[in-house]
Amino acid sequence: MEQTLLGGRYQVIRRLGSGGFSRTFLVTDLHLPNHPRCVIKQLKVQDKDTGTLDMARRLFDTEARVLYQLGNHPQIPALLAHFEEDQEFYLAQEYIEGSRLNRQVEEGKPWSETRVVLLLQEVLEILAFVHRQQVIHRDIKPSNLIRRHRDGKLVLIDFGAVKQVTSSPLLDAETGATNITVAIGTHGYMPNEQYAGKPRFSSDVYAVGILGIRALTGLHPQKIEEDPLTSELDWRQHAPTVSSELAAVLDRMVRYDFRDRYPTAQEALEALQNLPNPLHGLVGTQIYQTWMKGSNGRGPTFPGDDNDPGNGPSETSEPTAFADDQDSTSLFPVDLAYPTAHGKAPLPLAAGGAKAVAFQPYGRRPSLVAVGLLGVLSLGLVLWRSGLTIALEINGAGITKPFQSMVLPSLDIDLGRMLPPEEKAALLTRQGDRLLRQGRYPDALAIYDEAVESQSDFAPAYLGRCKTLIALKRPIEAIAACDDALAYSTYYPEAVRSKGNAEEQQGRLLAALALYESANNLMPAMFEAWLDRGRVLQKLGRSAEALAAVDQAIARDRESAEAWTIRGEANWTLRRFDQAIIDLEKALQINPDHGPARELRQRARQTVGR
């Protein structure tokens, strides 16, 4: 097989891995200039009888369809092509150079709480996008997450077990339930309903919670006992220093009963974002220190490698894309946290001084003492100049740890000295997003501007500027910012929708409608664009079309008072008075203080006399 071209164009370099249903190969594409690398995933078909081939073709078509739908997200590998050849099925995907997360989530090596929160937030941000597309991943685990070398971001891979729910009835879409009857996933990361073949969106939330617990405790999930009375995981005893706030979020993520969990990744993400911030909102609670040749002089690893720490046979990976360059640079995060004295409470801060912090790398360290010492000294110099206090020592075992509190004059912290531009822009944009949600618009705009200054082509920062300028009632500037976002990211339905908001703010309803329709076509699962479309159609007096659009919005989120209000207004215009009253009462049931629904309901009562 490796002597021939796959699909007539892909030349195999080597096999990367093999799992229960597939094999993956690193290949070069001979049809494109410079013969770029990509990854071919072959769906294995052991039995070529008609029934087996039909099942394989169904799995293949499902994964291809979902990857086409999801692959435009920057942290999901893009699908380049798919084809069938000699009753074998192949997917060509973007090549991601990086290291699998299971290389860092190691048995017996618990992570700090700060690091766990950052990991969970990053995974849930990707997964929230997946859930908005009405897709359940069903196999979230360390080996299906890759830390990409070029920017340190996580990439979610292996969508071979996905389940789409967009074609399910409305009630199923609300709960995330599906009619799948086969249990697919990985032991330890699968909740009970997934074992029964009935996964929900909250099944993915469970798996992410297990990932966090594994990192926090240093224990494989199958080694964590269940409470014999409640069947809940008794994990807290293995992480006695975890904060009660984070523990409560993790507990809810991994509840035995799916009805007690966060229903989707978005709700879990919001709970994490509302946790107390030990660094009081400072940008850069996670920093990447580059060590050449990976850890201990080793590059990225693959399933089956002798030096791969792995996760054991119960956590076999079916990767779709990962690095193979043994000489490439690996990125290892560094925790920034308050220092502790002998494992006790944080040291007090001196009045008027900078925070005393310990800067301690995690993951494996370079084996050369000279490299480690130089790294500590140079890092200390950078931090000193940036206004942070350094308190480090290397003990006899070669482990770096804090040894005393040191105080520096109060200085501005410039973590940009240590971050590549794209990482700094990403961190600043996330801080801007938080400020925007809090209604602190001028502060958010300043942060987005700083992100753009750091990385001039970072599209999410321009989108943040656009949304903030809309909130500040500056629609002309907002349109320019959205245009910048679209110039640097050709597939950006959120920016298309936000540009529509700016056009609508200027009263240009037809221009706004065209943009909302475009956003619907680009991302059918986006609730907000359907709601916007329905609102503008109603403003234009096209009530029947408004009703159809808002029904699409309600199918994606039944708990929107605005959506039910627009529906009631459309039905009222169409003289469907009884249905309009029902819609308005539903809106007020969701939000009794929703002014437009209350006013329209009052007028309806006066008109119909009830």
Side-chain angles (χ1 to χ4, degrees):
M1 174 182 177
E2 297 183 1
Q3 304 302 317
T4 61
L5 295 182
L6 298 176
R9 63 185 296 179
Y10 301 105
Q11 185 175 61
V12 174
I13 298 174
R14 74 182 185 93
R15 181 188 291 191
L16 294 178
S18 181
F21 298 100
S22 66
R23 292 181 294 183
T24 54
F25 302 89
L26 180 66
V27 303
T28 58
D29 187 347
L30 300 184
H31 280 202
L32 293 179
N34 301 322
H35 298 167
R37 291 181 175 186
C38 62
V39 170
I40 291 286
K41 180 174 181 179
Q42 178 194 24
L43 184 64
K44 293 194 297 186
V45 182
Q46 302 293 344
D47 191 343
K48 297 298 179 67
D49 67 82
T50 302
T52 303
L53 278 173
D54 286 344
M55 183 187 71
R57 190 172 286 109
R58 178 173 58 85
L59 291 172
F60 172 76
D61 289 341
T62 297
E63 184 171 6
R65 183 171 60 252
V66 169
L67 285 171
Y68 274 128
Q69 179 181 344
L70 300 178
N72 285 300
H73 189 283
Q75 289 168 270
I76 296 174
L79 182 64
L80 306 176
H82 70 288
F83 56 94
E84 181 177 346
E85 186 174 84
D86 297 329
Q87 294 185 325
E88 301 284 356
F89 306 94
Y90 300 90
L91 298 166
Q93 290 181 261
E94 176 188 4
Y95 171 65
I96 306 297
E97 185 177 10
S99 298
R100 291 180 300 147
L101 190 66
N102 63 332
R103 244 191 116 191
Q104 296 181 22
V105 182
E106 298 179 82
E107 193 77 9
K109 295 185 179 180
W111 288 16
S112 72
E113 184 167 328
T114 299
R115 186 184 179 194
V116 170
V117 170
L118 290 167
L119 170 67
L120 293 175
Q121 285 184 343
E122 190 171 8
V123 176
L124 287 170
E125 284 173 354
I126 306 171
L127 196 57
F129 169 81
V130 173
H131 287 178
R132 285 196 297 271
Q133 311 312 305
Q134 301 297 295
V135 170
I136 305 170
H137 186 281
R138 292 200 293 172
D139 202 14
I140 305 292
K141 58 185 177 183
S143 57
N144 280 341
L145 291 159
I146 295 173
R147 181 68 70 183
R148 187 164 53 200
H149 285 338
R150 66 176 172 83
D151 58 9
K153 293 182 179 179
L154 283 179
V155 177
L156 178 61
I157 66 168
D158 200 351
F159 285 80
V162 294
K163 172 63 182 176
Q164 286 187 295
V165 296
T166 48
S167 60
S168 302
L170 180 58
L171 289 177
D172 284 350
E174 289 178 353
T175 63
T178 73
N179 57 4
I180 192 75
T181 57
V182 179
I184 297 177
T186 298
H187 293 298
Y189 295 88
M190 290 173 60
N192 65 303
E193 75 276 0
Q194 193 168 333
Y195 276 109
K198 297 180 180 179
R200 273 92 173 164
F201 292 121
S202 62
S203 306
D204 283 346
V205 173
Y206 178 94
V208 178
I210 293 294
L211 173 63
I213 289 172
R214 169 161 191 178
L216 199 61
T217 63
L219 291 176
H220 190 281
Q222 290 181 311
K223 295 183 179 180
I224 298 177
E225 305 84 2
E226 289 185 356
D227 186 301
L229 297 178
T230 65
S231 296
E232 304 292 356
L233 291 175
D234 188 16
W235 64 272
R236 289 203 191 191
Q237 62 175 313
H238 303 294
T241 62
V242 64
S243 68
S244 58
E245 294 87 355
L246 175 58
V249 172
L250 287 171
D251 279 342
R252 184 173 175 188
M253 291 178 74
V254 299
R255 289 294 182 201
Y256 180 82
D257 190 328
F258 73 88
R259 292 168 293 187
D260 295 331
R261 298 184 211 128
Y262 300 104
T264 70
Q266 183 61 43
E267 286 85 354
L269 177 61
E270 290 171 359
L272 280 171
Q273 290 172 337
N274 289 328
L275 289 176
N277 188 345
L279 293 175
H280 304 290
L282 290 177
V283 176
T285 53
Q286 185 180 42
I287 301 168
Y288 292 94
Q289 178 68 20
T290 301
W291 298 105
M292 295 306 295
K293 282 190 169 289
S295 64
N296 291 330
R298 298 186 310 185
T301 57
F302 310 96
D305 285 355
D306 292 337
N307 61 353
D308 183 3
N311 289 310
S314 64
E315 206 170 288
T316 302
S317 172
E318 286 191 26
T320 57
F322 44 81
D324 74 319
D325 184 0
Q326 297 294 317
D327 293 327
S328 62
T329 300
S330 295
L331 294 173
F332 290 89
V334 177
D335 283 338
L336 185 60
Y338 291 120
T340 57
H342 308 294
K344 298 180 181 179
L347 296 168
L349 303 179
K355 294 178 177 65
V357 299
F359 198 84
Q360 185 166 352
Y362 60 74
R364 297 185 182 85
R365 298 172 179 80
S367 57
L368 297 177
V369 175
V371 174
L373 183 58
L374 286 174
V376 169
L377 291 176
S378 60
L379 185 57
L381 178 61
V382 171
L383 287 171
W384 177 276
R385 289 175 176 171
S386 68
L388 294 176
T389 304
I390 311 304
L392 301 171
E393 69 177 351
I394 302 178
N395 64 15
I399 299 175
T400 306
K401 64 178 185 179
F403 67 96
Q404 68 179 47
S405 174
M406 300 170 61
V407 178
L408 291 177
S410 181
L411 297 172
D412 291 334
I413 296 174
D414 181 13
L415 294 174
R417 296 172 184 267
M418 295 169 288
L419 290 173
E422 187 172 357
E423 291 181 40
K424 182 181 178 183
L427 288 169
L428 287 167
T429 299
R430 289 177 66 177
Q431 187 183 38
D433 293 343
R434 286 194 295 272
L435 293 170
L436 178 60
R437 287 193 298 269
Q438 294 167 7
R440 297 169 58 184
Y441 305 133
D443 293 336
L445 188 60
I447 291 294
Y448 290 131
D449 287 343
E450 188 177 348
V452 169
E453 183 179 351
S454 174
Q455 182 78 14
S456 62
D457 62 351
F458 193 68
Y462 288 105
L463 176 61
R465 289 191 82 253
C466 179
K467 291 180 176 179
T468 306
L469 288 164
I470 291 170
L472 291 169
K473 303 293 192 293
R474 293 158 59 180
I476 295 177
E477 296 171 79
I479 289 172
C482 276
D483 283 340
D484 287 334
L486 291 166
Y488 294 118
S489 179
T490 54
Y491 177 86
Y492 213 163
E494 294 92 341
V496 174
R497 179 245 172 178
S498 293
K499 184 178 178 180
N501 291 159
E503 294 283 11
E504 184 181 353
Q505 196 173 75
Q506 295 184 94
R508 300 175 58 182
L509 300 185
L510 291 177
L513 179 61
L515 288 163
Y516 296 148
E517 290 173 348
S518 178
N520 292 149
N521 293 331
L522 289 169
M523 187 182 288
M526 189 193 300
F527 154 79
E528 296 86 356
W530 286 109
L531 179 63
D532 293 337
R533 183 174 175 178
R535 182 182 60 249
V536 167
L537 285 166
Q538 181 59 26
K539 287 181 180 179
L540 290 168
R542 296 158 59 177
S543 298
E545 294 173 80
L547 195 62
V550 81
D551 280 347
Q552 291 285 347
I554 290 172
R556 289 157 176 80
D557 182 1
R558 294 184 62 84
E559 300 304 313
S560 168
E562 183 181 0
W564 286 104
T565 301
I566 296 171
R567 193 177 200 279
E569 186 177 353
N571 274 316
W572 187 264
T573 304
L574 295 169
R575 306 187 64 81
R576 300 170 182 169
F577 302 126
D578 290 341
Q579 183 59 56
I581 292 173
I582 292 172
D583 294 336
L584 294 170
E585 288 178 345
K586 175 65 175 179
L588 291 171
Q589 179 184 351
I590 295 170
N591 181 6
D593 297 324
H594 189 62
R598 195 169 57 246
E599 294 171 10
L600 189 56
R601 180 67 181 88
Q602 182 63 31
R603 294 206 311 267
R605 283 176 174 169
Q606 293 172 352
T607 302
V608 301
R610 62 182 175 89

